[in-house]
């Protein structure tokens, strides 16, 4: 994959990998539901990209709706389900802070992406993509110079995957 045109894939979580819940947070595995065909998309993308990194705002932690440990357990189960279909996630970065906290990590800020670049200095920005469903994802991706793609319930991660493998 040395000459691959796809290096690193940054994925937002809620609304990209799993369905968002109306007006509340996904607190545990019982409340977690993959988006349609997201698992097969991640399997395909795992073969295409050198690494897949999730960057997710989770201010429910600072609101006391779930603990950091709840989130870590949820993510372990999510990763196991992805691995069972042959996909992989290299690392998950989450921001537990409140919107009003003025941290550097909550998207649209770029702290999580910058931390990923520190941890994986081989990341090639120009060959890397960020996929998100919120304006804050799009701002964060564009600020970092990533190829930035907006998805939603109509044009999903799977639809984008189909599009890039067709080319
Ligand atoms: Mg989202």
């Amino acid at each position: 994959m040395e000459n691959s045109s796809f290096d690193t894939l940054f994925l937002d979580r809620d609304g990209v990998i799993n369905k968002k819940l109306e007006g509340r947070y996904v607190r545990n595995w019982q409340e977690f539901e993959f988006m349609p065909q997201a698992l097969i998309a991640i399997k395909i993308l795992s073969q295409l990209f050198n690494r897949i990194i999730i960057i997710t705002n989770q201010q429910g932690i600072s609101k006391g709706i779930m603990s950091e440990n709840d989130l870590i357990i949820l993510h372990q189960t999510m990763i196991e389900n992805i691995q069972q279909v042959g996909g992989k996630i290299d690392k998950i970065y989450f921001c537990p802070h409140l919107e009003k906290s003025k941290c550097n990590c909550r998207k649209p800020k770029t702290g999580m992406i910058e931390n990923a670049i520190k941890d994986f200095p081989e990341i090639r920005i120009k060959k890397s993509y960020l996929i998100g469903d919120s304006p804050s994802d799009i701002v964060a991706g564009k600020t970092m110079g990533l190829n930035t793609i907006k998805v939603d319930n109509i044009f999903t991660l799977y639809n984008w995957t189909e599009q890039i493998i067709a080319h």
Side-chain angles (χ1 to χ4, degrees):
M1 283 294 235
E2 216 167 283
N3 294 314
S4 163
S5 40
F6 302 112
D7 183 51
T8 300
L9 179 63
F10 290 95
L11 295 178
D12 171 43
R13 199 197 79 185
D14 299 313
V16 176
I17 296 175
N18 60 283
K19 292 182 183 176
K20 276 182 176 166
L21 299 177
E22 197 62 50
R24 56 194 187 91
Y25 296 91
V26 175
R27 296 170 300 178
N28 52 51
W29 183 246
Q30 287 66 42
E31 296 179 338
F32 185 100
E33 188 183 350
F34 280 105
M35 289 283 287
Q37 293 159 301
L39 278 171
I40 181 76
I42 295 170
K43 176 199 162 83
I44 295 167
L45 294 165
S46 298
Q47 290 158 2
L48 227 46
F49 281 85
N50 295 327
R51 66 191 65 78
I52 301 180
I53 293 170
I54 297 175
I55 50 170
T56 178
N57 289 350
Q58 294 294 336
Q59 68 171 345
I61 291 171
S62 283
K63 290 183 175 176
I65 291 162
M66 59 183 160
S67 70
E68 203 161 299
N69 200 44
D70 293 335
L71 185 71
I72 289 165
I73 290 167
L74 167 60
H75 284 168
Q76 277 168 355
T77 310
M78 177 185 75
I79 285 176
E80 283 165 17
N81 276 261
I82 289 170
Q83 287 172 341
Q84 275 165 17
V85 301
K88 63 164 187 154
I89 301 296
D90 292 84
K91 190 145 181 179
I92 301 179
Y93 297 86
F94 63 89
C95 168
H97 306 117
L98 296 173
E99 192 169 356
K100 64 178 184 196
S101 77
K102 303 258 192 283
C103 65
N104 291 321
C105 44
R106 186 177 165 81
K107 296 173 285 183
K109 297 281 184 60
T110 52
M112 289 190 282
I113 303 169
E114 289 172 60
N115 283 339
I117 292 169
K118 278 179 203 145
D119 293 341
F120 301 91
E122 62 273 35
I123 289 176
R124 289 167 293 165
I125 293 283
K126 287 198 159 50
K127 291 184 171 185
S128 297
Y129 290 73
L130 184 146
I131 316 295
D133 68 322
S134 299
S136 59
D137 297 310
I138 305 310
V139 171
K142 288 190 170 165
T143 303
M144 291 302 294
L146 294 161
N147 301 288
T148 302
I149 313 293
K150 169 96 163 61
V151 293
D152 54 33
N153 288 331
I154 310 296
F155 182 74
T156 64
L157 181 65
Y158 180 76
N159 297 135
W160 178 73
T161 304
E162 275 189 321
Q163 206 177 73
I164 61 167
I165 59 176
H167 286 127

